[in-house]
Amino acid sequence: INFPQSQQKEVAIFDETSLEFPTTKVLCPKCDKEVEAYWALQQTRAADEPPTRFYRCKECNNVWREYS
């Protein structure tokens, strides 16, 4: 479908390389040593439960989660 110029919109696309996540030192279960890892919080359970913290190891790219 060809839309007129006035209806065309620019859409921003994000990939992993364009996003910056905070990092921390944590024990990677796969590397079995303390490494620097990216982390993020997400509410995966009921609102009255604490959020889940996800990690990604910068050395081996292993992803794991930690429940509070």
Side-chain angles (χ1 to χ4, degrees):
I1 298 173
N2 290 328
F3 293 104
Q5 284 288 77
S6 62
Q7 291 182 351
Q8 291 182 3
K9 294 182 181 179
E10 205 171 301
V11 177
I13 298 174
F14 297 96
D15 61 17
E16 281 187 4
T17 59
S18 67
L19 297 176
E20 300 236 356
F21 288 95
T23 60
T24 188
K25 292 278 189 178
V26 66
L27 179 66
C28 173
K30 189 173 180 181
C31 294
D32 199 29
K33 62 181 178 179
E34 189 172 292
V35 295
E36 194 167 347
Y38 299 108
W39 65 273
L41 292 176
Q42 186 172 2
Q43 191 68 38
T44 57
R45 297 175 281 170
D48 62 341
E49 298 287 331
T52 303
R53 180 173 286 141
F54 291 89
Y55 295 98
R56 175 178 277 171
C57 177
K58 290 179 84 173
E59 290 187 22
C60 69
N61 282 329
N62 182 41
V63 177
W64 71 98
R65 66 183 106 198
E66 179 181 276
Y67 300 103
S68 298

